[in-house]
Amino acid sequence: MPVGMDFQHSTVTGFVKNPSFQKWVIDPDADTTAFWEGWLYANPDQSAALQEARQLILDLRFGTDYAANQAMIEVWQQIQAQKTAEPVVYRQPFRQRSMFRIAAAVSGLLLIAYAAYHYTRPEPITTISTRYGETKTLSLPDGSVVTLNANSHLSFPATWDTDKPREVWLDGEAYFRVQEKKGTGQAKFSVHAKPVTVVVVGTVFNVKHRKKRSQVVLESGKVNLLVQQTGHREQQVFMKPGELADVGESAPVRVRSVDPASFTSWQSNQLVFRKTTLQEIATQLEETYGYTVTFTDPALPDKRFSGSVPAQQPDLLLMTLSKLYNLNISKQNNQVTISPR
């Protein structure tokens, strides 16, 4: 029998908090499958609550760390209660959209055209920008699709000639689905994020360029990085799917194997962490939401967290970290202070 389940008063929260039910949803085996399928057969009137609980677990991206799951659902309950009583403290201006698919809306894009670009590009230039806590999905003139993360800027020619290369300039973070263009040299698509230029033909990848560092994660296809670092000759780096390349102004290029989902989940409205340090999480909060994060204990930044939360709810992330690591996390305006209890 699943631990802690009151079968006479089954609720959505009761299902979600039950470790056996969590395992059935995220990591089923023969025993849990047999039990829950049999229980549902015997209790068909509970089907709606069970399915709602199952979907909630999927939406919150529970993992096999059941202690973390427990903390997350308790925090979620607190947030739901707060929503009915008072405004959410950490609310951010994310575009509301489905948990199940990426919105393709492009309304409200900021279009800035000007006459020249460094004297070599007389054609008008379009610049798309996002605020803190905001993402945008747009189609480029060739049909390629880009999702722009918060606090980012993407520039590209307003019209693309078939006989010219396709080029965009990125400051921030973006997820690209490049439309393959038949042909030879002009089929290439280039993303300029100094000191690196990402050259592709047709592929799916993520580029982050912040504070003079660039990070490229290849999900599928092929990528050729042209790296021009201060005081070094240009070098080429060829990437394979499932690899991450980290490029600074002068340090050696580092390439390693990763789970691309951990780095691209933001564009599907999720923040996914895999043994991520609190310092890295603080940096992401600063870059994405405009927070300034301060640790009062030098041991805290090295703690690691694995889990997932909806991207439009940084409050859920902060409160989960507070509960898991017994922390005091205070927020005043955009100033976040993290200290041990």
Side-chain angles (χ1 to χ4, degrees):
M1 179 179 294
V3 177
M5 174 61 69
D6 181 351
F7 291 101
Q8 294 182 339
H9 302 92
S10 301
T11 64
V12 172
T13 301
F15 286 126
V16 172
K17 295 176 70 173
N18 187 279
S20 173
F21 184 80
Q22 294 175 20
K23 181 173 178 58
W24 181 50
V25 175
I26 63 179
D27 186 28
D29 57 20
D31 290 339
T32 54
T33 298
F35 177 87
W36 285 104
E37 289 183 352
W39 189 88
L40 182 59
Y41 178 81
N43 300 272
D45 58 313
Q46 296 294 320
S47 176
L50 186 143
Q51 292 302 325
E52 184 178 347
R54 179 184 179 88
Q55 191 58 59
L56 179 58
I57 286 176
L58 295 174
D59 288 347
L60 293 178
R61 298 287 185 90
F62 278 12
T64 55
D65 184 343
Y66 297 106
N69 295 346
Q70 180 71 13
M72 192 176 296
I73 192 59
E74 291 176 4
V75 171
W76 177 83
Q77 286 180 274
Q78 294 175 21
I79 293 173
Q80 298 306 112
Q82 290 173 4
K83 284 182 178 180
T84 61
E86 57 182 298
V88 176
V89 176
Y90 301 101
R91 193 170 187 174
Q92 294 294 323
F94 260 95
R95 189 184 303 278
Q96 296 298 315
R97 61 186 184 219
S98 170
M99 283 287 189
F100 314 114
R101 61 182 64 187
I102 306 169
V106 295
S107 60
L109 299 180
L110 177 62
L111 302 179
I112 305 174
Y114 47 91
Y117 188 74
H118 293 310
Y119 302 103
T120 62
R121 296 186 173 276
E123 68 269 29
I125 295 295
T126 296
T127 297
I128 308 300
S129 299
T130 52
R131 301 183 300 273
Y132 285 120
E134 177 187 32
T135 63
K136 290 180 180 178
T137 299
L138 60 141
S139 294
L140 297 177
D142 68 332
S144 297
V145 178
V146 181
T147 301
L148 198 60
N149 203 357
N151 184 31
S152 300
H153 311 275
L154 185 73
S155 298
F156 53 89
T159 58
W160 287 5
D161 296 332
T162 57
D163 60 344
K164 291 184 178 180
R166 299 172 291 172
E167 297 180 275
V168 301
W169 287 260
L170 174 68
D171 183 16
E173 184 171 12
Y175 180 82
F176 293 84
R177 292 184 179 273
V178 175
Q179 178 70 35
E180 185 174 357
K181 182 180 178 183
K182 304 300 182 181
T184 55
Q186 306 311 326
K188 293 180 179 179
F189 183 106
S190 298
V191 180
H192 300 283
K194 191 176 180 179
V196 67
T197 295
V198 185
V199 182
V200 303
V201 175
T203 190
V204 180
F205 59 98
N206 193 88
V207 181
K208 178 190 286 188
H209 174 61
R210 299 190 191 276
K211 298 181 180 179
K212 300 182 179 181
R213 295 195 67 85
S214 296
Q215 185 185 81
V216 181
V217 177
L218 180 58
E219 186 172 304
S220 65
K222 297 179 180 179
V223 156
N224 177 21
L225 304 185
L226 304 179
V227 182
Q228 183 62 66
Q229 296 173 309
T230 303
H232 294 78
R233 292 184 179 180
E234 182 178 81
Q235 59 178 308
Q236 295 190 54
V237 177
F238 295 93
M239 296 182 62
K240 297 181 295 186
E243 288 187 337
L244 176 150
D246 192 21
V247 185
E249 281 199 313
S250 58
V253 179
R254 296 185 301 159
V255 179
R256 57 189 172 96
S257 297
V258 298
D259 175 11
S262 299
F263 297 86
T264 63
S265 59
W266 61 266
Q267 50 82 38
S268 56
N269 203 30
Q270 289 287 325
L271 298 178
V272 176
F273 304 99
R274 295 289 183 264
K275 296 182 179 179
T276 307
T277 66
L278 297 193
Q279 181 59 65
E280 292 172 317
I281 293 175
T283 298
Q284 187 165 349
L285 290 172
E286 291 172 349
E287 293 175 346
T288 305
Y289 303 99
Y291 292 175
T292 298
V293 181
T294 302
F295 295 95
T296 63
D297 186 329
L300 293 179
D302 293 330
K303 290 184 178 294
R304 294 182 178 272
F305 171 71
S306 295
S308 175
V309 296
Q312 83 278 21
Q313 293 189 19
D315 56 323
L316 178 58
L317 173 61
L318 291 173
M319 295 175 71
T320 299
L321 293 176
S322 174
K323 185 174 291 291
L324 278 177
Y325 298 109
N326 197 29
L327 302 174
N328 281 321
I329 300 181
S330 63
K331 179 177 178 294
Q332 187 171 14
N333 297 323
N334 282 341
Q335 305 293 318
V336 177
T337 301
I338 302 177
S339 58
R341 287 180 180 168

